[in-house]
Amino acid sequence: MTGRSAQMMILASLLLLLNGVCPAGEAGGTPAVRGASSGMVNYFTDNGFGNPVSTLQHPCAERYKDVTYIAYQGPHEDPFVCAYDHAAKTWSGPVKAGENTMGKTPDAVDPKDVDNHGRPAIIVDGKGYIHLIFGGHGGSYSLGINNLGTPGNGRQTHVVSKNPGDISSWEVLDNVDPFGTYSQFVKMDDGDIYLFYRHGSHRSDWVYQKSTDNCRTFAPPASLLKHKAQESDRNIHDAWYAWFDKGKGDTITASYVYHPCRVMGHTKERYNGYYMKMNCADDSWHNADGKALSLPVTKEYADENTLVFNSGTERSNHGTCHVDNDGNPHILFRMGKGQVRYSRWLGSAWQAPVVVTAESRNQDGDMIVESPLSVKTLLSGGGELRWWNTSDGGLTWAKGACLISSTEAGYVPGALVRNGGPGGWMVVSEHKAVQNHLFRNLYLLGDGGPVERAEAGAGNLGDRLKNLEANPPAPKTDKAEKKKHKKSADSGDGDE
Ligand code: ZN
């Protein structure tokens, strides 16, 4: 090594150390209090609540005209928005953008008392208005008859910013079905916006509603994945978890896993991996091999036509899916110990799934497909968020740069920022191993690690912690516990 390159390496290490993000030795310290500039902190807000972001409700952030807009679940499970202007290097927000009917007062302190399904997804429309969809966990009986599924809780709610590019004020647009959960926006190049969601609790169809006028109106829901009781055992209903994103050109990808939903003796079992693609020119669907599909897809039909892999008795969970320049899909699923597995379509078959890294458990994240052979995954796990890269089409994976780490906390990621980049790839919430409340610091992470914010702007809890101490939530009675468990069995849910 030349003297100059040694100097450069030392300088690079020092810069990393100053930034407080995964320096030599990497794990260690709490990034929030280590490494930020004077008067600054590494998180952009401290009022994330429960599980504020997820890869499932997505996008949770979009970069539009050099501003990254971020939506997350805050106090009372309400949707909040922050914005970062990359040119001016200034933050704004958080602003509360609506009311989640599932929120509780006072703030819950037991994770089991937070529903989390109503966390928001965000999209900026063709005119620059910002839309959030949030608050749904299938909708209650009081909202009317759900023809596509079984009732749950909450109310899927759509709000829009009153002005383009301005997060300061919001209004409700009452134009989508209230029976939604896991709401996801997909925006096409021509400006059409598709809203995908599960139309009720577990035993419900997955549907979409399409808007061709910047979300001012939506077509009625169309079913994609069908729920139904099994012929041989009416106690078990076929159910699904699905993830949607824009594919190549005017197409949308759907990747999903199967959930055998038991009415009696409910479990969270999920199996297998599936894929299909929508041609938005005529809203027709095809499998990876190009065969036209009949919708809605049943379990039997999916096994025959859209299977990526059969997980056998090993449980799986949804991940994310993106296409390469040829339009071929690359898919992440979680399996076994929650470790992410990768597969891609080879043109006539799916590559056997490969474990990206066995270094941690309970991983989650997203990926960038640079070319058919070059893929970067950004994964949480083991108290850090890190890139794992392949240059051989996913057969082998190498450890890449770490964007944040801690010995005292784990990080829960959202899906990649829509149109994000080195200035901000992903939003994560920080979950400390020891804390007596459910508020979370939130971070926007780019190539330089967390995007800093002045401490005064990032501190948004006010008196909430003091108030919680003074007025703690009432202890649960046995009766309330039993009722909750019954509800849980009926509608089948904890978080997810
Ligand atoms: Zn279920």
Side-chain angles (χ1 to χ4, degrees), residues 15 94 160 231 268 413 415 436:
L15 281 174
V160 63
E231 292 287 332
K268 289 185 174 180
N436 58 4

Side-chain angles (χ1 to χ4, degrees), residues 202-203 241 259-262 266-267 492:
H202 284 203
R203 299 189 293 280
Y241 289 85
H259 168 53
C261 186
R262 294 165 204 276
H266 187 266
T267 70

Side-chain angles (χ1 to χ4, degrees), residues 55-56 58-59 123 184-188 194 196 242-255 275-278 280 285 319-323 330 366-367 369 415-419:
T55 53
L56 194 46
H58 75 105
I123 203 79
Q184 305 169 32
F185 279 124
V186 179
K187 183 182 173 189
M188 310 308 292
Y194 288 77
F196 291 88
W243 198 88
F244 301 89
D245 198 30
K246 186 179 176 300
K248 187 185 179 187
D250 204 17
T251 68
I252 291 173
T253 62
S255 52
Y275 167 86
M276 60 189 186
K277 179 176 82 172
M278 182 184 204
C280 298
W285 287 80
T320 69
C321 174
H322 299 286
V323 300
H330 300 236
D366 203 348
M367 70 179 149
V369 179
L416 284 172
V417 174
R418 186 174 194 275
N419 296 328

Side-chain angles (χ1 to χ4, degrees), residues 249-420:
D250 204 17
T251 68
I252 291 173
T253 62
S255 52
Y256 46 104
V257 295
Y258 170 68
H259 168 53
C261 186
R262 294 165 204 276
V263 179
M264 301 292 291
H266 187 266
T267 70
K268 289 185 174 180
E269 289 164 87
R270 295 157 207 196
Y271 299 103
N272 303 345
Y274 302 86
Y275 167 86
M276 60 189 186
K277 179 176 82 172
M278 182 184 204
N279 177 354
C280 298
D282 58 5
D283 293 356
S284 62
W285 287 80
H286 299 80
N287 68 7
D289 214 10
K291 178 186 170 185
L293 301 174
S294 306
L295 276 286
V297 167
T298 63
K299 168 66 163 55
E300 295 77 12
Y301 191 79
D303 284 343
E304 196 177 322
N305 292 291
T306 69
L307 191 68
V308 176
F309 64 90
N310 183 337
S311 66
T313 56
E314 198 173 6
R315 294 189 185 193
S316 68
N317 204 346
H318 76 91
T320 69
C321 174
H322 299 286
V323 300
D324 58 35
N325 289 333
D326 300 326
N328 288 323
H330 300 236
I331 289 189
L332 300 180
F333 288 100
R334 289 168 284 171
M335 279 184 63
K337 298 162 185 162
Q339 288 165 339
V340 164
R341 296 187 195 191
Y342 163 92
S343 176
R344 69 185 176 107
W345 178 250
L346 298 172
S348 57
W350 290 95
Q351 185 166 289
V354 168
V355 176
V356 172
T357 167
E359 279 195 9
S360 59
R361 297 178 172 212
N362 300 321
Q363 302 161 354
D364 198 3
D366 203 348
M367 70 179 149
I368 297 170
V369 179
E370 296 177 324
S371 75
L373 296 181
S374 176
V375 180
K376 298 166 66 178
T377 62
L378 187 52
L379 301 182
S380 67
E384 63 177 29
L385 187 83
R386 177 188 292 283
W387 293 104
W388 291 85
N389 307 319
T390 181
S391 55
D392 60 9
L395 298 175
T396 60
W397 294 84
K399 192 182 255 193
C402 168
L403 300 189
I404 193 168
S405 79
S406 172
T407 52
E408 295 142 23
Y411 297 95
V412 176
L416 284 172
V417 174
R418 186 174 194 275
N419 296 328

